[in-house]
Amino acid sequence: MLSLGEAWKVAGIYYRNLGFLTYYEMRSPGLKSQKIEDLARKSQHSLLFNKIFLSIIFFMMAVFGALESSVISYAAYFLLLTFMFSFFFLQTVTYYFKLNFDFLYTLPLSKEDVQKIMLLTFIRIFDIPLLVNLIAFPVVAVFFNPWYSAIPAFLGILCAESYSILIVTYLSKIFYTKLSQPGGGWKSVARIIYQVIWGATFFIFYASTVWLRSFYMHLSKFQPFIDKYRMILQLSFPFNFSYLMVKPNTICIITSTFFIFLAYASIRWVLRNINRIGEIPVMEISEKVEIKLRLTGPIHGIIRKDLKIISRNPALLMLFFFPAFEGILLMALGNSSIESLYMVFTFIIIFLYSLMGYEKMGIIQTLPIKKGTLYLAKNIIGLLTFCASLTIIDIYLLIKGLIPEIALQIILLPSMFATGVVCLYLGEKLGIKKSVGLGTLGFILIIALGNFMLYLPILAGDVLHEFIHPYVSSFSISLAEFLIGVWIIKNLK
Amino acid sequence: MLEVRELFVKYGNFTAVKGISFDVEEGEIFGLLGPNGAGKSSTLKSIMGLVNFEGEIKLLGEKIGVEERNLIGYVPEEFMLIDVLTPLEFFEFVASLRKINSQERLFRLIYAFELEKYVNKPIASLSMGTKQKVAIIAALMHDPKLLILDEPLNGLDAKSSRILKEMMKRHVEKGGAVLFSTHIMEIAEKLCDRIAVINKGEIVAMGTIEELRKKAEVEGNLEDIFLKLTGEDEYIRGVVDALSR
């Protein structure tokens, strides 16, 4: 029988593998082996950094919640914790369900040992934030409440964490067993919805760091609601625990006991499913298959292939939606639509590099396809992303009662296309072959140049507005850039 | 059909291929035979332009560019498939880039390799042998003039293995050429018209089995010839003696 310490050590190896899988999928499929070595090292740092970052956010949430020291602020903390915990770990847990522990069965280990390792690997995903929450919130809470409030605080956290682990495990299991399989119809829709949630993780955290304080400050507005429905709220999670912390009563003690039992049942369900990991992938093989092929031209073929990959790869789909999310977030923070546009563009370039990353060392290198055709296909997808992002941003502006600058956006489309081509071309020339080359000087230069190219039509409109209508001058420059893009594509072999 | 001259492949300070030269003629199966790490795959990868190299490689007298790639069918040693796609989606993608209009040959290949049951499953979920079939079909679908096969029989079942070997023979009978690498002597002995024995990045001998036999001054099978030519026969005897003690 493996001791807990030994099992924890082995689980650490599987956890490192899990971290690598998540990191690799996100950033650089198709890298050469030397680069993969670097990536493996970076993935370990990234895992630790993410957990510490998350723990700091949770700690801030606990402090802000305690500062407000009200039923609503504690309930908000428990709720935020449940959802943020679920969202943040959704990516890693999804990959956890792809892990293969079969090798362990070939070693002199019992089934219980293997299950212990599987469970500890799972726990390692959450360990630091899980502990930080359990300790920090009760400790902070007793500064503003009677000492015994630490008990409901602790139990409330325990329930919140159990429910979030249940949610994240259920969603990941569904994704792995049902959604990640190819197929159209409802599967495609469900897959995209799931992946949008999956991808929204980053933004939720990004937004939370910016809005956390003001979020807590605005909670007092809901006080009349809390007073009016006190009785009902005492029956429900997480308000029962909040009341127990502030004004303990019998009803809350009873309902809290029920929710503690529910948390216990949740964890039992999670444990059962973790133990079944090895049993999940059963492939159904049908005897009669109707084979239908849809043969198209090269550009169409590349675009179709890329869209399929994007829809089945959560990391890429996240990057696909990233520009739109980022645009909205920036505008919500008070930036202008033009400033948001540049950020959208930056993320589109990162997305394009990621798509190109999939081609490195892939079959496309052996196929009769010119680089120009490949760039064209990738940039059409980039342009689609750009248009989709602009549409989402415009809808947001209209809802806010602002008029979107649609004419200017249309004028910039040819420029966006050309900029995409130039950035890919220069990226290749400067040797930026991995998907997200952030941090490298070359990548920063490319983004700067790309932003300048995209800004040039607007600049021309401003400078020449006394002589010619700004739209005419802007469009002329945009068109000229487009022709440069076309020229590059035509001449690339 | 294929000319390789003074080929060097370097990975940093390590030289994997050290100035090898050979030709593959129309109507012949040419085998690259060597142990693991001998430089076989690097040689084939440089023909496909997958690694940087020094030297000259020509197909039908031309440097291998985009258009020439349509004359080649390549099965790599490491799968170059797209795991999230199904085999059918993968074939559609490859066919669109090769500008194939007819589905007939592709259907025949799918049925010949008994892949029809798996065409709608994600490639990631397929067994190694089935993945190899996908790679082989993708390489054969456009009926190329030159087949470059890197350890093509890895993971294939007996039936598919036989089909592929027969297809290689028919291919050269029709005037095509096959360049393939293997470390399995029996396969090389049965299939190849000519063989280049490659060791530590260099060709140590090249010719028909008879020519190799003469050079090695050995009367045995290809395995004996190979071990003699690579100088590993004495080393093996020593290892086996040590292990038997």
Side-chain angles (χ1 to χ4, degrees), chain A residues 198-218:
Chain A
W198 203 91
T201 311
F202 180 84
F203 297 96
I204 289 167
F205 277 87
Y206 188 13
S208 70
T209 52
V210 180
W211 290 324
L212 205 56
R213 182 79 188 109
S214 56
F215 172 75
Y216 273 105
M217 285 173 75
H218 284 94

Side-chain angles (χ1 to χ4, degrees), chain A residues 181-182 283-284 289 291-298 301 304-305 308-309 312 363 365-369, chain B residues 50 66 69-70 80 82 84 86 88-90 92-93 95-96 98 100 103 106-107 116 120-122 125:
Chain A
Q181 308 300 318
M283 193 167 65
E284 289 168 23
V289 180
I291 303 175
K292 272 187 201 161
L293 271 174
R294 208 173 138 196
L295 300 176
T296 57
R304 276 188 73 203
K305 183 261 300 174
K308 275 178 185 143
I309 292 176
R312 286 167 206 170
I363 188 159
Q365 310 275 324
T366 69
L367 296 172
I369 182 91
Chain B
L50 291 171
V66 170
R69 283 191 211 151
N70 222 10
M80 280 185 171
I82 302 170
V84 292
T86 64
L88 211 53
E89 289 168 344
F90 182 70
E92 281 178 347
F93 165 63
S96 67
R98 292 203 181 279
I100 294 173
Q103 310 187 351
L106 184 53
F107 281 155
E116 66 274 20
N120 291 320
K121 304 290 163 203
S125 70

Side-chain angles (χ1 to χ4, degrees), chain A residues 373-384:
Chain A
T373 315
L374 191 63
Y375 281 16
L376 179 61
K378 302 287 175 193
N379 270 286
I380 290 173
I381 298 173
L383 215 54
L384 282 174

